[in-house]
Amino acid sequence: METPAIPLPKDEREQQILDRLTVIRDKLLLLKRDRTKYIRTQDVMELYDQLVEQVKQLNHIRKGEHKAENRLDKVLEGCLQLISLFFMTIGRTTEVPAAYALTSTIKRLLDHLTEASLFSPKDLTSISNTLGRLEGIIQNADSEHSPYLVELLAQREALCKSMLANLRKQLDQLDEPLQAVYERLISIMRSMSLANTKAKFSVSEVQKFKSKLKEIQDSMVDGKFVDPEGKELRGSEVVSTLLGRCLLWSDIVLERKGIIPDAFQDKYTILINIRNELEKLSITQAWSLRETDLYDFQRQLDKIDEARVDGNWLDQDGKPAELYVHGTLLYLIRRSYGYIYYLMNSSEPVSEALLPIYNQLQTLKRCLIEVQNSGGVGSVRELYPYSMKLNSIDNMRVDGKFMVGDDIPEGQGNVSELLAECFDLNYELRVAAEELEDAGKETPPSQPAA
């Protein structure tokens, strides 16, 4: 495992904790890589308890005082990140440890939004909703979880809320009509960046976006955004500056046509591959995602992101990347963190062992709702395939539980509740179909005209 060049702890007691944490981290990595069997709750909890014990000892040594970061902090961060993703994988998504990885990703996103000053109200609303959910998890934390971890999460959540409030202030400086223009410009900027990183560059696609920018520019009066009475709108200068950035970016993208210099080609290739893999997972995540896999993506992204010097990447000669390269690489990093945020947020409160059943029931529920919304079925016979599938899943239970070997995986309540919902929908459709059939029997056939 590659560890950044950060000094070892000077305190002998911290060195001993570092050694034990390294063993725990390696065990977590081995467990993560084993695809031959699903991840069991008891295996995760055993390592979690070991980790909490080391955190307790470290807290006792430092007594709340710690200034310089050393290797121990980095390894501890890796352990907490991994254990958090393991809690998601086993379906314990509403517990404190599961929230840790999400706060890390939110902090990254907010750092980037603040740095770039490119964000829309939708971005902030989504993050705000997630932070609200995490706050509920922290407030309802039980005694099973380390007070240190609960306190750490509360601090991180408060920091994220503070950063979010600062971003909101920037949007609040815009008059309402300009907020819509601002959001449209953000959307165009992101669309151009996406077009710029496609396998095949399309000049016409980017030109269309540039035309939309020109339309917005043409709506200005003497270089300002004004209301119907001709009065300058509040925030006109901010939106005008953003429009200028968008137009400049469109010109640069059309000139460079997606070609990255050799000096930064390696980073670009890595980031393109990460973005593409995460995009695939965002489409198929219900069937193919093991949350612990996100750790490797995060680590690669963090490494490239943290390699910047004064906010920019340097080539082999120490020269900073030009605006085109800088903007392209940053877009890919931000897009990838965005996918990771989405995938973590979409994590189901069900163990990966039960996910195949849970996903089948989700599909069945969607189908039954679709049938119901389209007017139901003409006869009970049409419901046979749904009934047979539901009964086959119901028959998998042993004493009311879905077992995997001798284990009872997490998420039993969620799967049983979803199964019950499907049975209810199926029953409602059957009753409606029976009433339809009975009504057909009672109606006498029409007599032929005399």
Side-chain angles (χ1 to χ4, degrees):
M1 189 69 176
E2 191 181 320
T3 306
I6 291 175
L8 289 165
K10 293 176 182 177
D11 189 312
E12 180 60 32
R13 294 169 301 172
E14 285 200 12
Q15 180 62 54
Q16 290 172 3
I17 292 174
L18 171 60
D19 293 341
R20 290 192 286 269
L21 283 175
T22 303
V23 171
I24 293 170
R25 184 193 63 187
D26 292 346
K27 286 180 180 177
L28 286 167
L29 288 170
L30 283 172
L31 187 60
K32 179 182 86 67
R33 288 172 187 150
D34 185 1
R35 311 294 293 208
T36 60
K37 55 184 182 291
Y38 80 92
I39 293 171
R40 302 188 311 162
T41 299
Q42 53 265 47
D43 294 336
V44 174
M45 294 311 294
E46 182 182 340
L47 290 168
Y48 173 68
D49 291 339
Q50 291 175 24
L51 177 59
V52 167
E53 179 57 35
Q54 298 310 307
V55 167
K56 195 185 297 180
Q57 290 185 30
L58 179 62
N59 223 27
H60 177 70
I61 291 168
R62 291 180 173 174
K63 294 185 174 68
E65 293 182 8
H66 179 56
K67 294 174 183 176
E69 187 178 73
N70 60 41
R71 189 86 53 88
L72 169 56
D73 298 285
K74 275 291 179 185
V75 175
L76 176 59
E77 164 69 19
C79 288
L80 289 170
Q81 196 76 7
L82 276 165
I83 209 75
S84 181
L85 293 169
F86 270 109
F87 264 72
M88 289 185 194
T89 305
I90 62 174
R92 296 175 76 157
T93 57
T94 57
E95 297 185 31
V96 165
Y100 186 89
L102 200 44
T103 58
S104 298
T105 303
I106 289 173
K107 173 67 167 55
R108 285 275 178 186
L109 284 172
L110 289 170
D111 281 338
H112 278 283
L113 293 178
T114 302
E115 176 192 21
S117 199
L118 288 170
F119 52 89
S120 71
K122 288 178 185 174
D123 297 331
L124 304 191
T125 300
S126 172
I127 291 174
S128 177
N129 291 339
T130 304
L131 286 173
R133 182 168 61 83
L134 295 182
E135 186 179 20
I137 291 173
I138 294 165
Q139 288 175 348
N140 296 320
D142 55 35
S143 57
E144 178 187 3
H145 298 301
S146 161
Y148 167 83
L149 185 55
V150 175
E151 185 185 345
L152 177 63
L153 271 173
Q155 290 171 356
R156 289 163 69 115
E157 189 253 349
L159 174 62
C160 289
K161 275 194 167 177
S162 172
M163 294 177 72
L164 189 66
N166 287 333
L167 293 175
R168 273 230 171 89
K169 282 179 190 172
Q170 294 182 41
L171 289 183
D172 290 342
Q173 292 170 6
L174 307 179
D175 273 336
E176 197 170 322
L178 275 187
Q179 290 191 14
V181 178
Y182 183 90
E183 189 162 358
R184 192 177 172 207
L185 287 172
I186 295 292
S187 175
I188 292 171
M189 180 71 119
R190 289 175 177 173
S191 297
M192 286 192 297
S193 295
L194 173 60
N196 178 52
T197 54
K198 285 182 178 177
K200 189 175 180 182
F201 184 83
S202 169
V203 172
S204 61
E205 187 178 2
V206 180
Q207 283 175 337
K208 283 178 186 174
F209 293 127
K210 187 174 181 179
S211 297
K212 291 178 181 178
L213 294 173
K214 290 288 188 184
E215 286 174 15
I216 295 173
Q217 189 178 41
D218 291 342
S219 70
M220 299 170 75
V221 177
D222 297 328
K224 296 172 185 175
F225 290 96
V226 298
D227 63 14
E229 283 77 42
K231 184 183 174 185
E232 184 177 355
L233 291 164
R234 187 167 54 95
S236 171
E237 192 176 333
V238 173
V239 180
S240 176
T241 301
L242 177 57
L243 175 60
R245 287 174 67 185
C246 290
L247 285 165
L248 174 62
W249 186 240
S250 68
D251 289 337
I252 294 172
V253 167
L254 284 168
E255 181 190 339
R256 302 301 294 269
K257 297 182 174 60
I259 298 170
I260 297 290
D262 292 343
F264 297 97
Q265 188 63 50
D266 288 348
K267 284 185 176 64
Y268 178 75
T269 302
I270 292 168
L271 290 173
I272 280 286
N273 290 337
I274 291 172
R275 193 273 310 268
N276 292 347
E277 283 298 314
L278 289 169
E279 187 176 27
K280 282 181 202 168
L281 282 173
S282 72
I283 297 167
T284 63
Q285 57 100 9
W287 302 95
S288 58
L289 176 68
R290 177 186 264 193
E291 284 83 353
T292 48
D293 293 340
L294 296 176
Y295 179 79
D296 295 328
F297 292 118
Q298 277 184 308
R299 190 163 175 80
Q300 290 181 80
L301 288 170
D302 292 351
K303 185 180 175 185
I304 294 175
D305 197 16
E306 290 166 9
R308 292 192 278 161
V309 178
D310 296 328
N312 203 351
W313 290 275
L314 307 178
D315 64 14
Q316 292 175 338
D317 299 323
K319 293 177 183 175
E322 60 188 300
L323 178 60
Y324 174 70
V325 174
H326 180 256
T328 301
L329 297 183
L330 273 183
Y331 165 75
L332 289 170
I333 286 178
R334 287 165 186 159
R335 185 72 173 162
S336 297
Y337 280 131
Y339 277 128
I340 289 173
Y341 167 76
Y342 167 77
L343 290 165
M344 285 182 180
N345 245 347
S346 305
S347 181
E348 299 286 2
V350 172
S351 165
E352 67 169 348
L354 294 185
L355 268 181
I357 298 170
Y358 188 78
N359 289 333
Q360 287 178 56
L361 287 170
Q362 291 271 47
T363 304
L364 269 171
K365 182 181 175 181
R366 280 195 294 270
C367 290
L368 289 166
I369 289 172
E370 187 63 35
V371 169
Q372 199 172 52
N373 291 340
S374 60
V377 292
S379 69
V380 174
R381 184 180 293 276
E382 291 177 48
L383 289 172
Y384 284 175
Y386 302 108
S387 301
M388 288 171 65
K389 185 61 183 176
L390 286 171
N391 285 320
S392 72
I393 292 175
D394 192 31
N395 291 335
M396 293 167 70
R397 294 199 277 188
V398 179
D399 296 330
K401 296 181 176 66
F402 292 96
M403 307 282 288
V404 177
D406 296 329
D407 296 329
I408 304 173
E410 301 280 345
Q412 297 288 328
N414 297 87
V415 179
S416 295
E417 184 181 337
L418 189 53
L419 178 61
E421 287 176 17
C422 289
F423 268 121
D424 287 345
L425 284 166
N426 197 54
Y427 176 74
E428 288 168 14
L429 286 165
R430 194 179 80 223
V431 169
E434 286 172 348
E435 288 175 354
L436 199 65
E437 288 178 346
D438 290 344
K441 289 174 186 174
E442 290 171 10
T443 305
S446 57
Q447 296 296 321

